[in-house]
Amino acid sequence: MKVPFQGPLTMILSVLSSPALVSGLMVVRAKNPVHSVLFPIPVFRNISGLLLLLGLDFFAMIFPVVYIGAIAVSFLFVVMMFHIQIAEIHEEVLRYLPVSGIIGLIFLTSCESSSYRSRIPVITSLSAPRSSARNVRVS
């Protein structure tokens, strides 16, 4: 099935959201802690563009000021002050890899089993039945 082109807003949405997703993944995947702190900056920039598309101008202007100007810079300062050795981080990650793999497998199994059987009852209506509401007359 062919999806019709929705207009320029759809293209702008994909241009802003794709780099935000890639940068968000690179926050986790970056081996250097300084790079891991710098990758949220494009995420915040692209999210503020998406907020502009939604018409939230105030939040779109405040978002980069607060997050890029304050939080990202303070994270970068803290990471540079600690002077983390990258080789030590890799040794610790390899040491805890089996435990994290088991925890991840348990998490994925629980997510998969909960998606197959949903036991949450759906409440259709808490109000009076419609038939009795129709019979009420206002005089």
Side-chain angles (χ1 to χ4, degrees):
M1 185 169 135
K2 198 174 200 180
V3 179
F5 182 67
Q6 299 291 328
L9 289 179
T10 305
M11 188 178 350
I12 294 171
L13 175 72
S14 37
V15 164
L16 289 174
S17 63
S18 298
L21 289 173
V22 171
S23 296
L25 287 172
M26 290 305 294
V27 169
V28 180
R29 298 285 304 174
K31 296 188 190 306
N32 192 342
V34 175
H35 293 161
S36 183
V37 171
L38 289 176
F39 272 116
I41 293 174
V43 174
F44 299 144
R45 185 191 65 227
N46 290 332
I47 295 298
S48 74
L50 290 172
L51 289 172
L52 276 174
L53 278 178
L54 290 172
L56 302 170
D57 299 335
F58 178 73
F59 290 115
M61 296 304 142
I62 292 298
F63 198 76
V65 170
V66 169
Y67 284 101
I68 295 175
I71 295 175
V73 172
S74 63
F75 281 170
L76 186 61
F77 178 73
V78 168
V79 166
M80 292 178 79
M81 286 293 290
F82 283 145
H83 191 65
I84 298 173
Q85 298 294 328
I86 297 172
E88 294 172 3
I89 293 173
H90 291 303
E91 291 174 5
E92 290 181 18
V93 168
L94 292 177
R95 186 173 62 177
Y96 294 114
L97 189 63
V99 175
S100 63
I102 291 170
I103 292 172
L105 189 63
I106 291 170
F107 176 73
L108 287 176
T109 306
S110 66
C111 286
E112 185 176 320
S113 67
S114 68
S115 68
Y116 282 128
R117 47 192 164 115
S118 176
R119 296 182 187 250
I120 300 172
V122 178
I123 300 173
T124 56
S125 176
L126 295 177
S127 61
R130 291 184 184 216
S131 60
S132 64
R134 289 183 190 159
N135 296 332
V136 175
R137 294 186 183 187
V138 178
S139 48

